[in-house]
Amino acid sequence: MSAELPTPPRPVRADARSGDSAPRGRRVSGRPLPAVPPQHRPPEGRPLDAEHPLLPELEHRLAVALGGDDRFGPLATCWPSPAAAHAAVTKSFYTNNVGGLGPLRPAPGPDIACITGRFARIVPAMRVSELRDSRLMPCADEHGQQLLTGPIPLDRWIVFETEVDGRAYRLHQGQWYEVERCRRAAGAVRYAQPGIG
């Protein structure tokens, strides 16, 4: 999978001046940037490399989930980092031809039912590669003409988590991670979907 996060996630350190453990933004032109919302931070865990022996199994489970079957774990949408800053002003989305069936029509936001409805119509063996090849871009107008970002692979717009042999794995913004535990019991879908319709 293409990965936007080339380095392993770093632990969050407390702000020494305030004692606050919430992550802070960097200062640009004297103004602090807002803290990164939790759904946009990489999960705490170890990223899997492209040669990890479990990737075929994880991608098989993802393909099943893309078809709308949640037996292997929850699937949800999540604004990727390049689009998160535009969430409040996004009025529509532009997509390429997803699965040879035309563009997706996510409105008002990229909800998971829109994605699984399309991918259920795609042969399971092709779902993960189609997910990587598909692009979704937020737009500032209602007609999908004023793009707010460049093309963003659709795999960066979803979160999926599953357990294999007692270990938890999460797909987050196009990268697989081994995580301490699944958030399934804590409401992974709610974690992934704030502000997405």
Side-chain angles (χ1 to χ4, degrees):
M1 296 188 121
S2 60
E4 183 173 293
L5 305 169
T7 58
R10 293 183 180 96
V12 175
R13 284 185 256 161
D15 185 321
R17 289 172 297 192
S18 67
D20 184 2
S21 62
R24 301 287 179 202
R26 295 178 309 240
R27 287 193 176 270
V28 178
S29 303
R31 294 188 325 251
L33 294 174
V36 180
Q39 68 269 25
H40 307 303
R41 287 186 220 129
E44 292 180 13
R46 180 177 61 91
L48 304 185
D49 63 37
E51 304 301 317
H52 195 282
L54 265 182
L55 279 181
E57 175 63 20
L58 295 174
E59 292 190 354
H60 163 72
R61 290 171 177 233
L62 174 60
V64 170
L66 285 167
D69 185 336
D70 66 357
R71 75 182 117 148
F72 292 123
L75 182 70
T77 55
C78 178
W79 286 85
S81 297
H86 305 291
V89 296
T90 297
K91 302 270 193 284
S92 67
F93 294 86
Y94 179 85
T95 69
N96 61 342
N97 182 359
V98 178
L101 302 168
L104 284 174
R105 300 284 181 222
D111 71 4
I112 203 62
C114 176
I115 294 170
T116 58
R118 173 59 57 89
F119 279 85
R121 298 171 60 193
I122 299 171
V123 176
M126 298 300 298
R127 288 177 185 163
V128 174
S129 62
E130 187 62 36
L131 183 72
R132 289 186 196 124
D133 291 342
S134 299
R135 300 293 184 261
L136 183 68
M137 293 148 279
C139 300
D141 66 313
E142 294 178 1
H143 306 291
Q145 302 295 313
Q146 298 173 7
L147 302 178
L148 292 167
T149 69
I152 302 172
L154 192 53
D155 67 347
R156 297 196 186 176
W157 288 88
I158 64 166
V159 174
F160 173 66
E161 49 187 41
T162 190
E163 291 182 14
V164 180
D165 297 329
R167 294 190 171 180
Y169 299 90
R170 184 175 303 138
L171 177 69
H172 177 83
Q173 296 200 27
Q175 172 68 52
W176 283 103
Y177 293 86
E178 182 177 348
V179 294
E180 186 175 321
R181 64 184 177 83
C182 278
R183 298 178 62 101
R184 176 183 294 177
V189 173
R190 286 192 304 276
Y191 157 81
Q193 288 188 317
I196 306 188

